[in-house]
Amino acid sequence: MIKVLNVISDTNIGGAGKCVITYCSNYNKEKYEIVVVMPKDSLLKPEIEKTGVKIIEIDGLKDKSFDIKAIKILKKIIKEEKPDIVHTHSSLSAKIAAKSFKNIKIVYTKHCVFPPSSKYKYKIFKLAYKFVTESLSHKIIATAQKAKEDLIYQGVSENKIEVILNGTTSLNILDENKKKEIRKRYNLTEEDKVIGLLARVEEYKGHKYFIDAAKIIIDEWGSNYKFLIMGTGNYEQQAKKQVKELGIEDNVIFTGFISNVEEMLNILDVQVNASYVSETTCLSLLEGMSIGLPAVATNCGGTPFVIISNENGMLVETESGKAIADGIKNVLSDKEKYEYMKKTSIKIFNEKFTSKIYAENIEKVYESMVN
């Protein structure tokens, strides 16, 4: 039995948290014992509790990669739990704590793709980052090829990095009556074509360009095209101001925080991802694919490894409302092509992005480290 201690500092459920939940729901119980350490009052707790794995809550660590007070607490937990592997999710404190134990292997997952600082063009910074990162990690998992490229640019050895694309649990395809019921909540008619963007409402998620695309589509194709902005965030007020200035309030709906992703994705005709930085393997795109939802997504981070133009959607340039609008038109203008994309979305998901495949890939890394 291989014992793995996962450490995550998130208090909300973001991409890293969803990956931990997915793994805890699908790991090989005959070979592995899993423990998850998280901050007190994290929204992850009830979701991970459902998986049955052991949870240890600690003071501190809340949304911080480095928390000096947490290092001592984590050392005590590691000493008591005696794991074979400590798997850190962007927690520097956990890596430092685990390094104190000679026989414990450390794996670190890089979940985000923010552009590396320009300082890494200088050799001294590359060497410093390489030393710190490699001395505190036996193996690094990158959740997108772009994340791997960024790590190499910062000085990390390529042979230390394993690319594992995210996976997720397949959603259910709801029946037509249920879809009608959900649509009514948002005043959507059966004739409406519904295009949605499910993401935190932050500037880098590209809501500005999604709204620009909505204006283009509405002006050219009419008022039966509705656009859902699903989520909350710091850019919300600016997005609402833009919608008002463009005069499309009747066609752009801000849903607020979404607790039932399955319901919302089921009522969409097209899903859009408009990010222009920080995109690895977008989980909402994968969830949409699992129910045959074609997507229009920007050529950003790991997205080109998920969306293939004219197969399961359209890949378009970043920071362009026109490009997104053209992509939406391409998907919706040909019914036969649309049906092909629906079927292909499910096929690609089942071949590459299921939660089972994700868990198996993670465990291959674990086994290589222990063996």
Side-chain angles (χ1 to χ4, degrees):
M1 187 72 78
I2 299 171
K3 188 170 185 178
V4 183
L5 187 78
N6 277 264
V7 183
I8 184 164
S9 59
D10 293 7
T11 55
N12 287 306
I13 303 176
K18 286 182 179 179
C19 287
V20 175
I21 294 166
T22 297
Y23 179 71
C24 289
S25 302
N26 295 275
Y27 74 96
N28 185 335
K29 294 176 177 62
E30 293 180 3
K31 286 188 177 181
Y32 292 90
E33 180 185 352
I34 307 298
V35 179
V36 178
V37 179
M38 66 179 70
K40 281 183 178 175
D41 304 318
S42 173
L43 295 178
L44 284 166
K45 185 183 177 184
E47 296 302 315
I48 292 179
E49 278 181 330
K50 293 174 187 175
T51 71
V53 305
K54 181 178 178 180
I55 294 172
I56 300 174
E57 295 180 280
I58 67 170
D59 291 314
L61 206 67
K62 292 186 176 182
D63 300 316
K64 292 179 181 177
S65 174
F66 180 69
D67 182 344
I68 195 165
K69 292 179 181 177
I71 295 173
K72 186 177 180 180
I73 300 169
L74 289 166
K75 281 184 180 179
K76 184 172 182 291
I77 291 169
I78 293 168
K79 187 176 181 180
E80 290 172 353
E81 293 294 325
K82 297 181 175 61
D84 300 290
I85 298 169
V86 171
H87 188 162
T88 74
H89 300 269
S90 304
S91 175
L92 178 58
S93 298
K95 285 187 276 187
I96 293 170
K99 184 67 178 176
S100 308
F101 299 85
K102 198 175 266 187
N103 296 321
I104 290 176
K105 301 295 184 183
I106 306 167
V107 59
Y108 150 57
T109 294
K110 182 175 174 61
H111 289 280
C112 62
V113 185
F114 284 107
S117 168
S118 59
K119 69 184 181 183
Y120 289 107
K121 64 185 177 183
Y122 300 108
K123 193 172 182 180
I124 185 69
F125 290 104
K126 285 181 183 286
L127 290 172
Y129 187 81
K130 176 184 174 70
F131 174 76
V132 172
T133 303
E134 294 191 7
S135 64
L136 294 177
S137 307
H138 294 94
K139 200 73 179 176
I140 300 166
I141 295 172
T143 54
Q145 180 65 27
K146 182 65 170 62
K148 178 180 179 178
E149 291 167 5
D150 287 349
L151 285 164
I152 293 170
Y153 173 74
Q154 290 171 279
V156 178
S157 302
E158 185 174 359
N159 63 7
K160 279 270 190 179
I161 308 164
E162 187 79 30
V163 176
I164 297 179
L165 302 181
N166 291 340
T168 191
T169 303
S170 177
L171 302 182
N172 295 308
I173 299 175
L174 304 181
D175 63 48
E176 291 306 313
N177 288 332
K178 183 64 177 175
K179 289 180 186 179
K180 287 176 188 176
E181 178 191 317
I182 300 163
R183 280 180 167 233
K184 279 182 183 177
R185 294 179 206 163
Y186 299 96
N187 297 316
L188 299 168
T189 69
E190 291 182 43
E191 292 74 31
D192 288 332
K193 291 292 184 183
V194 186
I195 299 101
L197 194 163
L198 174 61
R200 295 188 306 278
V201 188
E202 303 292 344
E203 186 173 1
Y204 60 84
K205 290 293 185 180
H207 290 79
K208 175 188 183 303
Y209 306 104
F210 178 68
I211 295 166
D212 285 341
K215 173 66 173 171
I216 294 169
I217 296 286
I218 293 160
D219 284 350
E220 291 186 19
W221 282 11
S223 61
N224 279 343
Y225 288 82
K226 302 294 171 66
F227 295 79
L228 301 188
I229 292 177
M230 299 171 282
T232 59
N234 297 315
Y235 193 73
E236 196 169 347
Q237 291 308 311
Q238 287 165 272
K240 287 179 176 177
K241 182 182 177 184
Q242 181 187 358
V243 167
K244 187 175 181 179
E245 288 174 349
L246 293 175
I248 53 176
E249 299 103 310
D250 292 339
N251 293 75
V252 179
I253 301 163
F254 289 83
T255 69
F257 176 74
I258 293 298
S259 58
N260 194 326
V261 169
E262 181 175 84
E263 287 189 348
M264 299 309 294
L265 292 181
N266 261 277
I267 67 169
L268 299 183
D269 294 287
V270 180
Q271 182 179 189
V272 171
N273 181 302
S275 295
Y276 54 90
V277 294
S278 183
E279 205 62 67
T280 52
T281 311
C282 176
L283 288 169
S284 63
L285 286 179
L286 302 187
E287 288 168 331
M289 286 169 60
S290 76
I291 57 172
L293 178 61
V296 173
T298 48
N299 188 358
C300 173
T303 303
F305 294 89
V306 176
I307 302 302
I308 305 165
S309 286
N310 296 309
E311 292 294 317
N312 59 343
M314 293 300 299
L315 201 64
V316 301
E317 66 180 273
T318 60
E319 300 178 81
S320 170
K322 183 181 183 304
I324 293 170
D326 287 345
I328 294 168
K329 291 176 192 176
N330 192 303
V331 171
L332 291 176
S333 60
D334 185 331
K335 189 173 181 180
E336 189 175 322
K337 179 193 271 190
Y338 183 79
E339 290 302 318
Y340 171 78
M341 287 181 177
K342 286 180 68 174
K343 290 175 184 175
T344 308
S345 293
I346 295 173
K347 182 174 181 286
I348 293 173
F349 174 83
N350 288 331
E351 288 174 352
K352 296 175 67 176
F353 298 113
T354 67
S355 51
K356 185 181 178 185
I357 291 170
Y358 174 74
E360 288 172 350
N361 287 335
I362 293 290
E363 287 171 357
K364 285 176 186 175
V365 173
Y366 290 164
E367 286 170 19
S368 70
M369 294 170 72
V370 172
N371 294 333

